[in-house]
PDB file of all heavy atoms in Angstrom:
ATOM      1  N   GLU A   1    -170.464 106.954  31.850  1.00 58.00           N
ATOM      2  CA  GLU A   1    -171.895 106.689  31.755  1.00 58.00           C
ATOM      3  C   GLU A   1    -172.432 106.951  30.349  1.00 58.00           C
ATOM      4  O   GLU A   1    -173.495 106.488  29.992  1.00 58.00           O
ATOM      5  CB  GLU A   1    -172.658 107.579  32.745  1.00 58.00           C
ATOM      6  CG  GLU A   1    -172.362 107.278  34.194  1.00 58.00           C
ATOM      7  CD  GLU A   1    -173.302 108.041  35.116  1.00 58.00           C
ATOM      8  OE1 GLU A   1    -174.491 107.681  35.161  1.00 58.00           O
ATOM      9  OE2 GLU A   1    -172.851 108.983  35.771  1.00 58.00           O
ATOM     10  N   VAL A   2    -171.690 107.741  29.577  1.00 60.00           N
ATOM     11  CA  VAL A   2    -172.185 108.190  28.286  1.00 60.00           C
ATOM     12  C   VAL A   2    -171.234 107.762  27.176  1.00 60.00           C
ATOM     13  O   VAL A   2    -170.025 107.840  27.325  1.00 60.00           O
ATOM     14  CB  VAL A   2    -172.329 109.729  28.253  1.00 60.00           C
ATOM     15  CG1 VAL A   2    -172.889 110.185  26.925  1.00 60.00           C
ATOM     16  CG2 VAL A   2    -173.216 110.202  29.385  1.00 60.00           C
ATOM     17  N   THR A   3    -171.795 107.315  26.078  1.00 62.00           N
ATOM     18  CA  THR A   3    -170.997 107.011  24.896  1.00 62.00           C
ATOM     19  C   THR A   3    -171.384 107.964  23.788  1.00 62.00           C
ATOM     20  O   THR A   3    -172.486 108.513  23.782  1.00 62.00           O
ATOM     21  CB  THR A   3    -171.245 105.564  24.416  1.00 62.00           C
ATOM     22  OG1 THR A   3    -172.645 105.392  24.174  1.00 62.00           O
ATOM     23  CG2 THR A   3    -170.784 104.567  25.459  1.00 62.00           C
ATOM     24  N   SER A   4    -170.485 108.187  22.846  1.00 64.00           N
ATOM     25  CA  SER A   4    -170.766 109.102  21.740  1.00 64.00           C
ATOM     26  C   SER A   4    -171.110 108.317  20.480  1.00 64.00           C
ATOM     27  O   SER A   4    -171.031 107.087  20.457  1.00 64.00           O
ATOM     28  CB  SER A   4    -169.546 109.998  21.488  1.00 64.00           C
ATOM     29  OG  SER A   4    -168.423 109.200  21.185  1.00 64.00           O
ATOM     30  N   ALA A   5    -171.468 109.048  19.433  1.00 67.00           N
ATOM     31  CA  ALA A   5    -171.829 108.418  18.165  1.00 67.00           C
ATOM     32  C   ALA A   5    -170.682 107.540  17.665  1.00 67.00           C
ATOM     33  O   ALA A   5    -169.530 107.961  17.653  1.00 67.00           O
ATOM     34  CB  ALA A   5    -172.150 109.487  17.127  1.00 67.00           C
ATOM     35  N   GLY A   6    -171.014 106.325  17.253  1.00 67.00           N
ATOM     36  CA  GLY A   6    -170.017 105.432  16.689  1.00 67.00           C
ATOM     37  C   GLY A   6    -169.023 104.874  17.681  1.00 67.00           C
ATOM     38  O   GLY A   6    -167.990 104.328  17.299  1.00 67.00           O
ATOM     39  N   SER A   7    -169.333 104.990  18.983  1.00 75.00           N
ATOM     40  CA  SER A   7    -168.367 104.549  20.000  1.00 75.00           C
ATOM     41  C   SER A   7    -168.131 103.033  19.962  1.00 75.00           C
ATOM     42  O   SER A   7    -167.159 102.544  20.530  1.00 75.00           O
ATOM     43  CB  SER A   7    -168.837 104.968  21.394  1.00 75.00           C
ATOM     44  OG  SER A   7    -170.099 104.417  21.679  1.00 75.00           O
ATOM     45  N   GLN A   8    -169.027 102.293  19.278  1.00 81.00           N
ATOM     46  CA  GLN A   8    -168.813 100.849  19.174  1.00 81.00           C
ATOM     47  C   GLN A   8    -167.568 100.530  18.356  1.00 81.00           C
ATOM     48  O   GLN A   8    -167.076  99.403  18.381  1.00 81.00           O
ATOM     49  CB  GLN A   8    -170.039 100.151  18.575  1.00 81.00           C
ATOM     50  CG  GLN A   8    -170.321 100.487  17.122  1.00 81.00           C
ATOM     51  CD  GLN A   8    -171.296 101.638  16.959  1.00 81.00           C
ATOM     52  OE1 GLN A   8    -171.287 102.586  17.721  1.00 81.00           O
ATOM     53  NE2 GLN A   8    -172.146 101.554  15.950  1.00 81.00           N
ATOM     54  N   TYR A   9    -167.040 101.543  17.627  1.00 83.00           N
ATOM     55  CA  TYR A   9    -165.845 101.328  16.822  1.00 83.00           C
ATOM     56  C   TYR A   9    -164.599 101.945  17.455  1.00 83.00           C
ATOM     57  O   TYR A   9    -163.561 102.036  16.825  1.00 83.00           O
ATOM     58  CB  TYR A   9    -166.048 101.897  15.416  1.00 83.00           C
ATOM     59  CG  TYR A   9    -167.204 101.250  14.702  1.00 83.00           C
ATOM     60  CD1 TYR A   9    -168.316 101.985  14.294  1.00 83.00           C
ATOM     61  CD2 TYR A   9    -167.204  99.884  14.447  1.00 83.00           C
ATOM     62  CE1 TYR A   9    -169.390 101.374  13.659  1.00 83.00           C
ATOM     63  CE2 TYR A   9    -168.272  99.265  13.817  1.00 83.00           C
ATOM     64  CZ  TYR A   9    -169.355 100.022  13.428  1.00 83.00           C
ATOM     65  OH  TYR A   9    -170.416  99.407  12.799  1.00 83.00           O
ATOM     66  N   ALA A  10    -164.724 102.375  18.714  1.00 79.00           N
ATOM     67  CA  ALA A  10    -163.597 103.011  19.401  1.00 79.00           C
ATOM     68  C   ALA A  10    -162.382 102.094  19.424  1.00 79.00           C
ATOM     69  O   ALA A  10    -162.480 100.905  19.720  1.00 79.00           O
ATOM     70  CB  ALA A  10    -164.008 103.381  20.826  1.00 79.00           C
ATOM     71  N   GLY A  11    -161.238 102.672  19.060  1.00 82.00           N
ATOM     72  CA  GLY A  11    -159.977 101.944  19.121  1.00 82.00           C
ATOM     73  C   GLY A  11    -159.725 100.984  17.974  1.00 82.00           C
ATOM     74  O   GLY A  11    -158.726 100.259  17.992  1.00 82.00           O
ATOM     75  N   LYS A  12    -160.598 100.991  16.975  1.00 86.00           N
ATOM     76  CA  LYS A  12    -160.453 100.018  15.876  1.00 86.00           C
ATOM     77  C   LYS A  12    -159.385 100.418  14.868  1.00 86.00           C
ATOM     78  O   LYS A  12    -158.927  99.592  14.079  1.00 86.00           O
ATOM     79  CB  LYS A  12    -161.797  99.847  15.153  1.00 86.00           C
ATOM     80  CG  LYS A  12    -162.899  99.255  16.017  1.00 86.00           C
ATOM     81  CD  LYS A  12    -162.596  97.836  16.423  1.00 86.00           C
ATOM     82  CE  LYS A  12    -163.760  97.205  17.166  1.00 86.00           C
ATOM     83  NZ  LYS A  12    -163.483  95.830  17.589  1.00 86.00           N
ATOM     84  N   GLY A  13    -159.011 101.678  14.825  1.00 87.00           N
ATOM     85  CA  GLY A  13    -157.950 102.104  13.917  1.00 87.00           C
ATOM     86  C   GLY A  13    -158.473 102.717  12.626  1.00 87.00           C
ATOM     87  O   GLY A  13    -159.667 102.682  12.319  1.00 87.00           O
ATOM     88  N   MET A  14    -157.533 103.278  11.862  1.00 89.00           N
ATOM     89  CA  MET A  14    -157.866 104.050  10.661  1.00 89.00           C
ATOM     90  C   MET A  14    -158.517 103.209   9.559  1.00 89.00           C
ATOM     91  O   MET A  14    -159.181 103.755   8.685  1.00 89.00           O
ATOM     92  CB  MET A  14    -156.598 104.724  10.108  1.00 89.00           C
ATOM     93  CG  MET A  14    -155.926 105.654  11.119  1.00 89.00           C
ATOM     94  SD  MET A  14    -157.051 106.919  11.765  1.00 89.00           S
ATOM     95  CE  MET A  14    -156.968 108.110  10.458  1.00 89.00           C
ATOM     96  N   SER A  15    -158.346 101.910   9.595  1.00 88.00           N
ATOM     97  CA  SER A  15    -158.970 101.064   8.568  1.00 88.00           C
ATOM     98  C   SER A  15    -160.497 101.096   8.664  1.00 88.00           C
ATOM     99  O   SER A  15    -161.185 100.673   7.739  1.00 88.00           O
ATOM    100  CB  SER A  15    -158.475  99.621   8.699  1.00 88.00           C
ATOM    101  OG  SER A  15    -158.891  99.052   9.935  1.00 88.00           O
ATOM    102  N   TYR A  16    -161.017 101.615   9.782  1.00 91.00           N
ATOM    103  CA  TYR A  16    -162.463 101.695   9.978  1.00 91.00           C
ATOM    104  C   TYR A  16    -163.058 103.022   9.498  1.00 91.00           C
ATOM    105  O   TYR A  16    -164.250 103.256   9.680  1.00 91.00           O
ATOM    106  CB  TYR A  16    -162.810 101.468  11.451  1.00 91.00           C
ATOM    107  CG  TYR A  16    -163.007 100.016  11.804  1.00 91.00           C
ATOM    108  CD1 TYR A  16    -161.934  99.128  11.769  1.00 91.00           C
ATOM    109  CD2 TYR A  16    -164.253  99.513  12.148  1.00 91.00           C
ATOM    110  CE1 TYR A  16    -162.095  97.789  12.079  1.00 91.00           C
ATOM    111  CE2 TYR A  16    -164.427  98.170  12.458  1.00 91.00           C
ATOM    112  CZ  TYR A  16    -163.348  97.315  12.430  1.00 91.00           C
ATOM    113  OH  TYR A  16    -163.510  95.997  12.734  1.00 91.00           O
ATOM    114  N   ILE A  17    -162.250 103.891   8.867  1.00 93.00           N
ATOM    115  CA  ILE A  17    -162.775 105.175   8.377  1.00 93.00           C
ATOM    116  C   ILE A  17    -163.926 104.974   7.382  1.00 93.00           C
ATOM    117  O   ILE A  17    -164.946 105.657   7.481  1.00 93.00           O
ATOM    118  CB  ILE A  17    -161.641 106.037   7.772  1.00 93.00           C
ATOM    119  CG1 ILE A  17    -160.761 106.570   8.916  1.00 93.00           C
ATOM    120  CG2 ILE A  17    -162.203 107.191   6.947  1.00 93.00           C
ATOM    121  CD1 ILE A  17    -159.569 107.377   8.465  1.00 93.00           C
ATOM    122  N   PRO A  18    -163.828 104.030   6.408  1.00 93.00           N
ATOM    123  CA  PRO A  18    -164.982 103.816   5.517  1.00 93.00           C
ATOM    124  C   PRO A  18    -166.242 103.394   6.285  1.00 93.00           C
ATOM    125  O   PRO A  18    -167.355 103.798   5.933  1.00 93.00           O
ATOM    126  CB  PRO A  18    -164.510 102.693   4.584  1.00 93.00           C
ATOM    127  CG  PRO A  18    -163.026 102.796   4.597  1.00 93.00           C
ATOM    128  CD  PRO A  18    -162.672 103.221   5.996  1.00 93.00           C
ATOM    129  N   VAL A  19    -166.074 102.619   7.346  1.00 94.00           N
ATOM    130  CA  VAL A  19    -167.202 102.209   8.182  1.00 94.00           C
ATOM    131  C   VAL A  19    -167.807 103.435   8.866  1.00 94.00           C
ATOM    132  O   VAL A  19    -169.036 103.579   8.954  1.00 94.00           O
ATOM    133  CB  VAL A  19    -166.761 101.169   9.241  1.00 94.00           C
ATOM    134  CG1 VAL A  19    -167.912 100.814  10.163  1.00 94.00           C
ATOM    135  CG2 VAL A  19    -166.212  99.924   8.566  1.00 94.00           C
ATOM    136  N   ALA A  20    -166.931 104.341   9.320  1.00 92.00           N
ATOM    137  CA  ALA A  20    -167.396 105.574   9.971  1.00 92.00           C
ATOM    138  C   ALA A  20    -168.224 106.417   9.006  1.00 92.00           C
ATOM    139  O   ALA A  20    -169.239 107.016   9.400  1.00 92.00           O
ATOM    140  CB  ALA A  20    -166.204 106.380  10.481  1.00 92.00           C
ATOM    141  N   PHE A  21    -167.825 106.464   7.744  1.00 95.00           N
ATOM    142  CA  PHE A  21    -168.585 107.220   6.742  1.00 95.00           C
ATOM    143  C   PHE A  21    -169.972 106.607   6.528  1.00 95.00           C
ATOM    144  O   PHE A  21    -170.971 107.332   6.444  1.00 95.00           O
ATOM    145  CB  PHE A  21    -167.820 107.278   5.410  1.00 95.00           C
ATOM    146  CG  PHE A  21    -166.902 108.456   5.308  1.00 95.00           C
ATOM    147  CD1 PHE A  21    -165.588 108.361   5.737  1.00 95.00           C
ATOM    148  CD2 PHE A  21    -167.352 109.662   4.798  1.00 95.00           C
ATOM    149  CE1 PHE A  21    -164.733 109.450   5.656  1.00 95.00           C
ATOM    150  CE2 PHE A  21    -166.506 110.759   4.712  1.00 95.00           C
ATOM    151  CZ  PHE A  21    -165.192 110.656   5.147  1.00 95.00           C
ATOM    152  N   VAL A  22    -170.035 105.307   6.431  1.00 96.00           N
ATOM    153  CA  VAL A  22    -171.328 104.635   6.255  1.00 96.00           C
ATOM    154  C   VAL A  22    -172.214 104.875   7.468  1.00 96.00           C
ATOM    155  O   VAL A  22    -173.403 105.204   7.337  1.00 96.00           O
ATOM    156  CB  VAL A  22    -171.146 103.122   6.012  1.00 96.00           C
ATOM    157  CG1 VAL A  22    -172.488 102.393   6.054  1.00 96.00           C
ATOM    158  CG2 VAL A  22    -170.463 102.877   4.673  1.00 96.00           C
ATOM    159  N   TYR A  23    -171.628 104.743   8.647  1.00 95.00           N
ATOM    160  CA  TYR A  23    -172.380 104.973   9.886  1.00 95.00           C
ATOM    161  C   TYR A  23    -172.880 106.417   9.949  1.00 95.00           C
ATOM    162  O   TYR A  23    -174.057 106.672  10.247  1.00 95.00           O
ATOM    163  CB  TYR A  23    -171.489 104.673  11.096  1.00 95.00           C
ATOM    164  CG  TYR A  23    -172.143 105.028  12.404  1.00 95.00           C
ATOM    165  CD1 TYR A  23    -173.038 104.154  13.021  1.00 95.00           C
ATOM    166  CD2 TYR A  23    -171.890 106.253  13.019  1.00 95.00           C
ATOM    167  CE1 TYR A  23    -173.663 104.495  14.213  1.00 95.00           C
ATOM    168  CE2 TYR A  23    -172.506 106.594  14.206  1.00 95.00           C
ATOM    169  CZ  TYR A  23    -173.388 105.717  14.798  1.00 95.00           C
ATOM    170  OH  TYR A  23    -174.011 106.060  15.981  1.00 95.00           O
ATOM    171  N   GLY A  24    -171.989 107.376   9.658  1.00 95.00           N
ATOM    172  CA  GLY A  24    -172.337 108.781   9.789  1.00 95.00           C
ATOM    173  C   GLY A  24    -173.311 109.292   8.744  1.00 95.00           C
ATOM    174  O   GLY A  24    -174.257 110.012   9.077  1.00 95.00           O
ATOM    175  N   PHE A  25    -173.104 108.907   7.493  1.00 97.00           N
ATOM    176  CA  PHE A  25    -173.899 109.489   6.407  1.00 97.00           C
ATOM    177  C   PHE A  25    -175.137 108.680   6.036  1.00 97.00           C
ATOM    178  O   PHE A  25    -176.117 109.247   5.555  1.00 97.00           O
ATOM    179  CB  PHE A  25    -173.021 109.689   5.163  1.00 97.00           C
ATOM    180  CG  PHE A  25    -172.176 110.919   5.239  1.00 97.00           C
ATOM    181  CD1 PHE A  25    -170.878 110.853   5.715  1.00 97.00           C
ATOM    182  CD2 PHE A  25    -172.677 112.151   4.861  1.00 97.00           C
ATOM    183  CE1 PHE A  25    -170.093 111.990   5.809  1.00 97.00           C
ATOM    184  CE2 PHE A  25    -171.899 113.301   4.937  1.00 97.00           C
ATOM    185  CZ  PHE A  25    -170.600 113.224   5.417  1.00 97.00           C
ATOM    186  N   ILE A  26    -175.100 107.370   6.236  1.00 96.00           N
ATOM    187  CA  ILE A  26    -176.248 106.542   5.834  1.00 96.00           C
ATOM    188  C   ILE A  26    -177.049 106.061   7.038  1.00 96.00           C
ATOM    189  O   ILE A  26    -178.231 106.376   7.169  1.00 96.00           O
ATOM    190  CB  ILE A  26    -175.786 105.343   4.972  1.00 96.00           C
ATOM    191  CG1 ILE A  26    -175.129 105.851   3.678  1.00 96.00           C
ATOM    192  CG2 ILE A  26    -176.980 104.433   4.641  1.00 96.00           C
ATOM    193  CD1 ILE A  26    -174.548 104.777   2.802  1.00 96.00           C
ATOM    194  N   LYS A  27    -176.382 105.331   7.921  1.00 95.00           N
ATOM    195  CA  LYS A  27    -177.121 104.690   9.016  1.00 95.00           C
ATOM    196  C   LYS A  27    -177.771 105.706   9.943  1.00 95.00           C
ATOM    197  O   LYS A  27    -178.924 105.541  10.347  1.00 95.00           O
ATOM    198  CB  LYS A  27    -176.187 103.776   9.809  1.00 95.00           C
ATOM    199  CG  LYS A  27    -176.929 102.923  10.831  1.00 95.00           C
ATOM    200  CD  LYS A  27    -176.020 101.890  11.447  1.00 95.00           C
ATOM    201  CE  LYS A  27    -176.779 100.943  12.341  1.00 95.00           C
ATOM    202  NZ  LYS A  27    -175.907  99.887  12.887  1.00 95.00           N
ATOM    203  N   THR A  28    -177.042 106.750  10.307  1.00 95.00           N
ATOM    204  CA  THR A  28    -177.627 107.756  11.207  1.00 95.00           C
ATOM    205  C   THR A  28    -178.061 108.999  10.445  1.00 95.00           C
ATOM    206  O   THR A  28    -179.213 109.422  10.554  1.00 95.00           O
ATOM    207  CB  THR A  28    -176.633 108.128  12.331  1.00 95.00           C
ATOM    208  OG1 THR A  28    -175.400 108.569  11.756  1.00 95.00           O
ATOM    209  CG2 THR A  28    -176.376 106.938  13.234  1.00 95.00           C
ATOM    210  N   GLY A  29    -177.164 109.594   9.675  1.00 96.00           N
ATOM    211  CA  GLY A  29    -177.464 110.851   8.996  1.00 96.00           C
ATOM    212  C   GLY A  29    -178.687 110.802   8.100  1.00 96.00           C
ATOM    213  O   GLY A  29    -179.657 111.532   8.311  1.00 96.00           O
ATOM    214  N   LEU A  30    -178.678 109.935   7.110  1.00 97.00           N
ATOM    215  CA  LEU A  30    -179.778 109.885   6.148  1.00 97.00           C
ATOM    216  C   LEU A  30    -181.070 109.397   6.772  1.00 97.00           C
ATOM    217  O   LEU A  30    -182.137 109.998   6.580  1.00 97.00           O
ATOM    218  CB  LEU A  30    -179.406 109.001   4.954  1.00 97.00           C
ATOM    219  CG  LEU A  30    -180.467 108.876   3.852  1.00 97.00           C
ATOM    220  CD1 LEU A  30    -180.857 110.250   3.302  1.00 97.00           C
ATOM    221  CD2 LEU A  30    -179.960 107.958   2.732  1.00 97.00           C
TER     222      LEU A  30
END
């Protein structure tokens, strides 16, 4: 019933780490 932050990228693999940084620090964090 519940999803966590950035769950739309679940299972995408390590190539999505830069995307995770943008999501975490800019889109949501800042």
Side-chain angles (χ1 to χ4, degrees):
E1 295 189 71
V2 182
T3 56
S4 59
S7 59
Q8 67 267 37
Y9 300 118
K12 296 295 186 181
M14 302 305 278
S15 65
Y16 272 67
I17 287 177
V19 176
F21 270 90
V22 171
Y23 174 83
F25 280 94
I26 298 176
K27 188 171 186 177
T28 56
L30 181 57

